Amino acid sequence: QAGQRGISGIDFYSTDLNRLLQERLALERELRHALVRDELELEFQPIVDAQGQVVSAEALLRWNHPRRGRLGPDQFLPLAEQSELILSLGQWVLHKALAVAVTWAECRPDPPSVAVNVSARQLDAGNLYGEVQRALQSSGLLPARLELELTESVMQRAESRATLSALRELGICIAIDDFGTGFSSLSYLKAFPVDIIKIDRSFVTDATTDSRDAVIVRAIIAMAHILGIDVVAEGVESPRHQTVLRKLGCNRLQGYHVGRPETAEQFQARLRAPDATTGGDHA
Ligand code: C2E
Ligand code: MG
Ligand code: MG
Ligand code: MG
């Protein structure tokens, strides 16, 4: 009896695994086609300053899957990261984000920057500098209006340093994403030329509930500012988060309370609105 259960258990397990593998292969095949079938889309999430003015917007990738509906990056980017697919996706994102950001100048005399997430593999591939240069040229966007977001894992590699320095010389801003989730965040500040750090959502939440965490966040913000680095708080979900982070010295906020990721059209409409301020001290 036990043996039978064991055997059927294994059968069940292997069928399950087989199904997972099939699904994975299908998804990968579909993702290859998503690019040419125009199923990818960028949403834009506002980042505001102390006055509530939109100073920047983060481009976030979505996949309008024909059967599964709208998928978030967590549902397909890990898969793409395992192949060269991430390179074509990254290239698409870069060109699209810059083409969209250029239109914001029609909405405002002082248009916001655009923040683009870059995966480690894009840097490894060795042509990020060229890709960025091409995207800037074809869109006509000023380099100063582009921010590249990299996670700490990317910063771990010494080889990345030369590329990042070269990009900065073009006038582009470099941001460390999810700051604080790695083990030696502070050492990256020493080793890399960065313009912006984005304090991870988990820190933002903790700083509003734990006074020790609040002290740490305050110190990070103060130190960054002394080094001439801008600080963005990620995941500002409530008025309380906003108040606390501002009190801790953070002048740039991003999160559902400030504004959710929205379509390019919605974001344009936000910029066109006469008093388009959110999350400001006077809002
Ligand atoms: P991220 O770069 O840290 O982006 C912020 C994520 O937090 C986004 O999730 C955003 O929708 C979400 N978020 C913003 N405000 C709040 C909030 O107040 N509360 C909560 N709970 N979440 C908030 P999303 O769009 O699902 O993206 C997830 C991750 O996927 C991103 O994290 C980024 O690492 C990656 N990603 C997104 N687009 C791209 C892309 O074009 N290229 C690459 N390489 N990675 C991307
Ligand atoms: Mg990001
Ligand atoms: Mg982040
Ligand atoms: Mg994050």
Side-chain angles (χ1 to χ4, degrees):
Q1 257 184 355
Q4 269 180 355
R5 263 207 303 277
I7 289 165
S8 63
I10 289 165
D11 281 349
F12 175 73
Y13 181 68
S14 58
T15 333
D16 223 34
L17 215 91
N18 198 32
R19 189 175 49 77
L20 273 176
L21 197 70
Q22 293 299 329
E23 272 180 14
R24 231 195 85 150
L25 286 171
L27 201 66
E28 196 177 324
R29 186 167 10 89
E30 289 166 344
L31 192 49
R32 276 179 210 289
H33 293 136
L35 273 164
V36 282
R37 288 181 187 156
D38 206 25
E39 291 167 1
L40 298 177
E41 192 182 331
L42 288 181
E43 285 191 335
F44 296 87
Q45 187 178 29
I47 297 168
V48 300
D49 66 10
Q51 284 72 45
Q53 287 289 334
V54 180
V55 288
S56 166
E58 179 170 5
L60 295 162
L61 187 57
R62 307 289 181 248
W63 177 11
N64 295 310
H65 191 282
R67 280 172 296 108
R68 294 169 198 238
R70 202 167 172 80
L71 303 181
D74 294 337
Q75 291 168 280
F76 62 90
L77 272 189
L79 186 67
E81 296 264 3
Q82 288 169 28
S83 71
E84 303 292 299
L85 250 176
I86 188 66
L87 301 181
S88 12
L89 288 184
Q91 195 180 344
W92 183 87
V93 169
L94 202 56
H95 279 82
K96 184 73 181 178
L98 270 58
V100 170
V102 136
T103 68
W104 298 340
E106 296 156 20
C107 312
R108 289 239 178 133
D110 188 17
S113 299
V114 67
V116 177
N117 291 285
V118 175
S119 98
R121 291 208 50 183
Q122 284 176 272
L123 250 173
D124 284 347
N127 58 351
L128 183 67
Y129 182 84
E131 288 294 347
V132 169
Q133 227 180 8
R134 261 191 298 283
L136 285 169
Q137 263 158 21
S138 66
S139 65
L141 190 83
L142 288 175
R145 285 186 54 210
L146 175 60
E147 299 166 2
L148 295 180
E149 295 194 2
L150 302 128
T151 56
E152 293 179 9
S153 61
V154 179
M155 303 277 176
Q156 256 155 29
R157 296 204 262 294
E159 317 86 74
S160 312
R161 196 188 166 147
T163 310
L164 297 184
S165 301
L167 286 165
R168 266 184 108 227
E169 263 159 45
L170 283 179
I172 289 159
C173 294
I174 304 294
I176 307 186
D177 209 345
D178 306 337
F179 188 85
T181 52
F183 283 107
S184 40
S185 306
L186 293 183
S187 68
Y188 303 130
L189 292 189
K190 198 160 112 72
F192 284 97
V194 302
D195 306 280
I196 300 164
I197 60 178
K198 301 189 74 175
I199 299 186
D200 192 65
R201 176 155 53 92
S202 57
F203 273 77
V204 170
T205 313
D206 293 347
T208 56
T209 53
D210 185 309
S211 59
R212 254 179 82 87
D213 287 324
V215 169
I216 293 172
V217 170
R218 186 198 291 278
I220 291 174
I221 295 169
M223 182 193 59
H225 286 165
I226 291 169
L227 292 170
I229 298 169
D230 273 326
V231 181
V232 176
E234 293 192 298
V236 176
E237 291 181 338
S238 66
R240 174 161 167 78
H241 284 173
Q242 175 176 313
T243 310
V244 171
L245 266 297
R246 287 218 193 283
K247 251 171 60 190
L248 295 177
C250 192
N251 44 22
R252 305 206 162 191
L253 308 179
Q254 176 181 11
Y256 294 163
H257 175 64
V258 173
R260 295 207 169 233
E262 50 202 17
T263 66
E265 291 73 28
Q266 286 168 330
F267 184 72
Q268 264 202 352
R270 174 194 287 277
L271 292 181
R272 286 215 173 91
D275 47 7
T277 60
T278 10
D281 290 334
H282 324 289

